[in-house]
Amino acid sequence: MMKNYNKSLLALALVSTLSLTACGDGSDGQDGAPGTPGTPGTPGTPGTPAGSFATTAQSITDLAFTLSPADIKVTSSEGFSVKFTVTGKNANKDVPFTGLDKVALYSLTANENTSGTGAPIQWQNNAMANAAGTSLTCTLDGLNGTKNACTLTEDTATPGTYTATWAHDGAAPIINPNDNPNAVHRIFLRAYNVTDSAGVALSDKILSVPVDFIPATDELASSGKDTVSSAACEKCHGEADGHIANISAHHNYQGVKNCVTCHNPDQIPSDADLAAGLIFDFAPMIHRIHSGAENAANFDTSNNTAKEWSEIGFPSDLKECTSCHTTDQPSYNTIYAQACVGCHMTVNFATGENHSEFALAQADDTQCSSCHGTGNLSPAVVHSVGKRAEYASLFKVDFTSATTVPSATLGMKTLTLTANVTLNGAPIADGTSLKAYNATTNPTAMFVANGLLIGNVATDGTVYSWRDVKPAAISLKLENGTLAGGVLTIVKDIPDAQAVGTLYVGSEANFCAKAGKVVSCNTTNLEFGPTSPIGNEAAVKFYSPDGSAVTKARMTDPTRITVAETKCNACHGTLDYAKGSRHGAYTFDQCMHCHNDTTGASGHGATGYKGDDGKLVVNPEVTFNNKDLFTVAHRFHSGNFGVVEGIFRDAKGGLFGYPAVETDCAACHKDNAKLFATDGGLTSGKRSIKVGAYYISPVAESCRTCHAHSDAAAVAHFRSNGAVVEADAMTDPNLPVESCATCHAEGKTYGVDKVHAE
């Protein structure tokens, strides 16, 4: 025990000695002096600030391409490369879009056509010229599956900047060896595989804005070929995310500058298409589509496409070239057979059949301009381009007074109306027969084209047309008056009840024209025939023969009208054309004479859909018994008018013939219009509509005019929310306001601005 203890002390002493020796001189036990500092390392590259780029997109409109002509090489003399940048959105700011892995490049050339047949300038798709499809695909590895593709490279130093190059043998398929670098070229791109933040691929095509330029000089240019703009198409079809809306083919490729990529003379129709009279070059095809209903008898509808085209009705005057063409590019004077035959389908230019009384055969188009290039046989003249609106002032009826005096007949007053009338720019001659200018032969006297628009206006702006006076309508025509010194005077006894308060007075006269003059409608070769006469210029005026305050109709108050006449005219040209075969009405205050909330009847009460036999299948659960203007307009444009023509629905509820997006209220209504007033009623102030002898609520009626599936269950929903329907047999027009606005007013969860935007 003692020996082990001594050994432990000896070991401890030895360890202590060794420890003291390791401390150096052992003077203070502190650390030694610091060593020489090492060389600083190279600073790292700063990270990209958060939010400085985008890799996803919530909408196709988030992405924007920029291409400069100097960065586009697509001709054989330059080789092939295309450099471009792409921006996306991050925190609603435009930032570089990175990670693009696939694009398609489209290249077109506007070639001068010297063949003697076809348009003088024709687009050619350069990929199609090489039998290489319609575009050139570019990917990161230069392959599209197992097929050679161009190589897409993103600049690592400048995110969002990409270059497309060709690394394979031979020229890129998009380069046309016969291309002309001095001609106008068009380039645009399509991006693929872009997803939203949830990883879901965007459903619409992501397209760049086409760039038109001359490769030889790198100058931006105009082709001279583009005489129709996308904006012209959008007047009827509407716009969505930068493209023409509501055309089923190819979805958002819809843009005139995109369409010609495929729809050009290289797109050769099949034998079956030719047999059906179809051609897919853009100008002839568009002419034929829009003249479909007018040329229905000339289509071979064994072809499904031809059958569909034959049902398309053009909403404006088919001869009015400026409905689509720009006025500064009068392409309606560019004459070639394929464009003309789009409307003049029965003309056989090879044989001359139906080509004038001389049956002129044409081997090609070189002689067309000799007759039709200028002068009286030019399309601009024979189509009366731009003349409908100009000619309206050829026949003016300007009412100047409305007075009443007691009549010799008890309970009656004698009404005297005066109006200044001009014909062809001069006061109308004494003894002129206005009946000679009646352009229609409508069987109902009060509807004839020379009829007066006259009725009463209540203090709330509601109109009561004299055509609805009971027990007998009061009918007045221009031809009932006398003419002296250019003044028309009409005298008529009217019941005392109609001589109280405000009267509205106007005219729905229409007329025929030839060579820029008003002529009898019995004249041959009219500029505007009996099927489409011209509405005369006749503003509706308001008078108070009994001396009370004048009240103007609701339809003249812009704050109470949510629809714009300019929007109607954008598609129809003029409203008088829309109803031109019967009426000369072109403003809402003319339309109100028949289409008001007090008429209480409808000429088209039924609704339904087109059956397999092409006839209307009536829905007995849904009927309409009024012709208020919103009811008629909604029903007709939504295919619920009870006819199978123009606009209609099929058995599945599909809408045919309406050119715009069905739920786009702004196609007709004013931009940002509020349909509901603060009290939950309609902005117009309308609180009831007459149907037969009863009154119904206007909001529910407005909804069901489009939603014509409104069966018994829907009617129950209306009634549970305060609506009065026809079955309630309400005889008091002062109806309570419906509670529809609680859920459906603008800004609400189910507001019309939300549910109609989907």
Side-chain angles (χ1 to χ4, degrees), residues 509-693:
N510 54 23
F511 61 91
C512 297
K514 183 175 183 179
K517 300 290 184 181
V518 179
V519 296
S520 167
C521 289
N522 293 323
T523 305
T524 59
N525 299 320
L526 296 170
E527 285 185 70
F528 299 90
T531 57
S532 57
I534 306 166
N536 78 305
E537 190 173 304
V540 174
K541 302 286 188 69
F542 297 89
Y543 302 100
S544 183
D546 66 357
S548 60
V550 171
T551 301
K552 291 190 175 182
R554 184 180 69 246
M555 296 298 285
T556 66
D557 184 351
T559 65
R560 300 177 69 179
I561 305 173
T562 61
V563 175
E565 288 171 0
T566 53
K567 291 202 170 188
C568 302
N569 293 336
C571 190
H572 289 293
T574 65
L575 281 173
D576 87 291
Y577 178 79
K579 295 287 285 185
S581 62
R582 295 177 57 180
H583 305 296
Y586 53 91
T587 57
F588 291 158
D589 57 3
Q590 290 176 304
C591 300
M592 73 183 184
H593 179 67
C594 297
H595 298 289
N596 56 63
D597 50 333
T598 58
T599 296
S602 174
H604 296 274
T607 188
Y609 61 89
K610 181 181 179 180
D612 293 337
D613 60 357
K615 297 180 180 179
L616 181 71
V617 177
V618 174
N619 179 357
E621 291 191 54
V622 182
T623 58
F624 292 89
N625 294 310
N626 73 87
K627 60 171 60 177
D628 196 10
L629 189 58
F630 83 70
T631 304
V632 172
H634 279 192
R635 288 185 60 204
F636 182 77
H637 290 111
S638 61
N640 297 317
F641 206 56
V643 295
V644 181
E645 60 184 45
I647 303 173
F648 57 89
R649 292 188 182 271
D650 63 11
K652 296 180 180 178
L655 181 61
F656 294 85
Y658 182 59
V661 176
E662 184 177 353
T663 57
D664 182 12
C665 301
C668 301
H669 287 275
K670 298 174 183 176
D671 294 341
N672 303 313
K674 299 292 185 183
L675 305 182
F676 288 94
T678 54
D679 66 355
L682 295 175
T683 295
S684 63
K686 186 186 307 179
R687 295 296 180 261
S688 65
I689 300 173
K690 191 175 184 181
V691 290

Side-chain angles (χ1 to χ4, degrees), residues 89-163:
K89 296 286 186 183
N90 196 318
N92 208 33
K93 294 181 180 179
D94 293 326
V95 296
F97 186 89
T98 68
L100 203 60
D101 62 10
K102 182 180 178 181
V103 299
L105 280 163
Y106 296 84
S107 171
L108 294 88
T109 304
N111 294 313
E112 182 180 354
N113 176 22
T114 59
S115 69
T117 299
I121 299 176
Q122 295 180 335
W123 284 110
Q124 181 173 50
N125 182 311
N126 292 310
M128 293 174 67
N130 288 326
T134 58
S135 64
L136 174 63
T137 301
C138 302
T139 64
L140 299 180
D141 61 1
L143 294 172
N144 184 20
T146 59
K147 186 178 179 181
N148 289 343
C150 89
T151 303
L152 181 67
T153 305
E154 183 174 6
D155 188 339
T156 56
T158 311
T161 299
Y162 300 84
T163 303

